[in-house]
C-alpha cells in the first residue's frame, strides 16, 4: 500500500541545514514491527507515523521511532510532523493551537513568528548529578573535570543528562568516548566569545546573558549511543526543551533566547526558546519540506 510521505528539515528555514525527520502521514493499519522496520530503513534519527487520535482534544496521534526503538516523545519530530500534517491539508480543531497525542501525553503546538513551537513537556527526572557521575562524564567527554561548570538530569522522555561547560571553545572541541549516557552539552556566549557563525556575542545584564535580535545565547551538542558507537544529533528539540527548564529555572538565562546546534556537523540549527506569562516554555524553529510523495508500506 502506498502511503503519503514527507521528509521535513526542522529548526531551519534553509533545506538540509537542520535535522530531518521522515513522516508517514497515514500510518493506520501498520504494526509496530512494520513501523520499526521502516524507521530502521530510513536510518534517520527519527521517523514518525501519524494515526487517528484516541485522546479527547487531540488533532492527531503520532508514534515516534528511532532506527532501533520507539520514543514516547521527541522535539524535532513533533515540529516536523505538525508541519507535514498541516501541509497535507489537515485543519486543527482550534486554529491557534494544534494538539498532538503521543506516548508522553498531549503536546500543544502553535504557530509563531519563528515557526512552529511546542510546549515543553514536564521533566520526569531532574536535579543535580552526583560528583562521582560528574567525574565519569568528564572521562567520557575526555575533558578535565574543571571544564564542567554544572550538570543536571534533564529527562523528558529521552533520558538526557545536561552538562554545562566552561566555554563554547571547549564544547566545540569535545570528542566523546562511547557510553550508555544520552549527553547534552551546553555553553554560553556571555563570555564575549564569537559564535562559529560570526554572530555578535551577547551583551551581559548582570550575570545573565540576554538575547538581542539575531544573537545566539548558547551553543548545544547532543550525543547518544548507537550501534555500539557514539552518535551526534544535529539539532535536538527534546534536549533544548529540557535545557530551557534548567537554564531558565536556575536564572542562568532569561527568556526569550536562541540556541545554536549542529555547528560541528556543518548544520546551522536555530532553536527559539520563549517562556510565556503562565510559565510555559515554548520550543520553536523553522520547518521546511525537502521530500514529498508516497512510500510503499
Amino acid at each position: 500500500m502506498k502511503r503519503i510521505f514527507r521528509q521535513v528539515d526542522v529548526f531551519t528555514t534553509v533545506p538540509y541545514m537542520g535535522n530531518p525527520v521522515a513522516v508517514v502521514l497515514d500510518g493506520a493499519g501498520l504494526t509496530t514491527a512494520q513501523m520499526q522496520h521502516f524507521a530502521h530503513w530510513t536510518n534517520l534519527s527519527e521517523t514518525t507515523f501519524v494515526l487517528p487520535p484516541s485522546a479527547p482534544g487531540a488533532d492527531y496521534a503520532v508514534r515516534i521511532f528511532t532506527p532501533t526503538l520507539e520514543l514516547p516523545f521527541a522535539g524535532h519530530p513533533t515540529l516536523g510532523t505538525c508541519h507535514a500534517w498541516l501541509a497535507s491539508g489537515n485543519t486543527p480543531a482550534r486554529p491557534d493551537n494544534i494538539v498532538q497525542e503521543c506516548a508522553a501525553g498531549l503536546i500543544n503546538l502553535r504557530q509563531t513568528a519563528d515557526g512552529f513551537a511546542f510546549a515543553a513537556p514536564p521533566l520526569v527526572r531532574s536535579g543535580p548529578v552526583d560528583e562521582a557521575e560528574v567525574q565519569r562524564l568528564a572521562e567520557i567527554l575526555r575533558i578535565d573535570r574543571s571544564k564542567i561548570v554544572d550538570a543536571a538530569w534533564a529527562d523528558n522522555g529521552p533520558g538526557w543528562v545536561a552538562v554545562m561547560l566552561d566555554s563554547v571553545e571547549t564544547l566545540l572541541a569535545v570528542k566523546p568516548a562511547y557510553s550508555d549516557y544520552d549527553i547534552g552539552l551546553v555553553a554560553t556566549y556571555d563570555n564575549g566569545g564569537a559564535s562559529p557563525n560570526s554572530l555578535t556575542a551577547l551583551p551581559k545584564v548582570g550575570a545573565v546573558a540576554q538575547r538581542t535580535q539575531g544573537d545566539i545565547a548558547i551553543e548545544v551538542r547532543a550525543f547518544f549511543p548507537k550501534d555500539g558507537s557514539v552518535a551526534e544529533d544535529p539539532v535536538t528539540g527534546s534536549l533544548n526543551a529540557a535545557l530551557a527548564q534548567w537554564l531558565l529555572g536556575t536564572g542562568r538565562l532569561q527568556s526569550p533566547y536562541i540556541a545554536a546546534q549542529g555547528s560541528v556537523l556543518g548544520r546551522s540549527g536555530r532553536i527559539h526558546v520563549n517562556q510565556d506569562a503562565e510559565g510555559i516554555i515554548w520550543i520553536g524553529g523553522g520547518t521546511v519540506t525537502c521530500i514529498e510523495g508516497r512510500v510503499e508500506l
Side-chain angles (χ1 to χ4, degrees):
M1 175 179 174
K2 292 190 181 296
R3 299 172 187 267
I4 301 170
F5 175 85
R6 288 178 186 260
Q7 191 160 306
V8 181
D9 211 9
V10 182
F11 293 121
T12 182
T13 57
V14 181
Y16 318 118
M17 295 302 288
N19 196 2
V21 60
V23 184
V24 177
L25 281 150
D26 48 353
L30 292 172
T31 67
T32 297
Q34 288 172 318
M35 293 180 186
Q36 185 64 77
H37 182 76
F38 185 70
H40 181 77
W41 179 81
T42 68
N43 201 35
L44 295 177
S45 57
E46 281 94 12
T47 298
T48 70
F49 299 84
V50 178
L51 301 164
S54 59
D59 290 302
Y60 61 88
V62 66
R63 295 181 69 179
I64 305 168
F65 290 81
T66 75
T68 59
L69 55 86
E70 185 171 5
L71 297 176
F73 169 78
H76 98 273
T78 291
L79 297 184
T81 301
C82 179
H83 169 104
W85 185 78
L86 290 171
S88 296
N90 295 293
T91 304
R94 289 175 48 191
D96 59 342
N97 187 61
I98 304 116
V99 182
Q100 171 185 286
E101 177 187 349
C102 61
L106 297 182
I107 306 296
N108 290 296
L109 297 107
R110 66 184 185 185
Q111 178 73 61
T112 75
D114 301 312
F116 293 110
F118 65 86
L123 297 179
V124 298
R125 185 183 184 187
S126 59
V129 179
D130 66 51
E131 180 56 30
E133 285 196 279
V134 174
Q135 293 280 0
R136 175 63 181 139
L137 287 165
E139 294 172 4
I140 293 166
L141 297 172
R142 295 172 170 154
I143 59 175
D144 190 86
R145 168 65 181 86
S146 64
K147 299 288 187 180
I148 297 179
V149 175
D150 200 359
W153 296 107
D155 184 350
N156 56 6
W160 297 109
V161 57
V163 180
M164 174 171 279
L165 301 182
D166 65 338
S167 70
V168 172
E169 290 72 22
T170 297
L171 178 143
L172 294 175
V174 164
K175 295 180 180 179
Y178 176 80
S179 78
D180 290 330
Y181 287 96
D182 292 332
I183 302 175
L185 302 183
V186 59
T188 67
Y189 280 109
D190 62 346
N191 59 3
S195 82
N197 302 93
S198 300
L199 294 170
T200 306
L202 293 173
K204 286 197 269 189
V205 177
V208 179
Q210 295 293 303
R211 169 196 172 193
T212 55
Q213 186 61 38
D215 285 335
I216 306 300
I218 57 173
E219 188 78 26
V220 175
R221 296 181 72 183
F223 299 100
F224 58 93
K226 180 183 179 184
D227 300 329
S229 61
V230 60
E232 181 168 2
D233 198 44
V235 202
T236 317
S238 64
L239 173 59
N240 277 280
L243 288 174
Q245 291 170 34
W246 180 39
L247 297 173
L248 294 175
T250 57
R252 292 185 182 276
L253 290 180
Q254 288 184 347
S255 169
Y257 70 82
I258 303 173
Q261 191 178 349
S263 302
V264 173
L265 301 177
R267 311 288 178 89
S268 57
R270 296 293 180 266
I271 305 94
H272 295 259
V273 177
N274 287 272
Q275 188 170 31
D276 65 23
E278 297 177 349
I280 298 171
I281 296 172
W282 294 87
I283 307 298
T287 51
V288 57
T289 299
C290 295
I291 301 170
E292 59 181 307
R294 293 181 180 271
V295 291
E296 186 68 45
L297 259 174

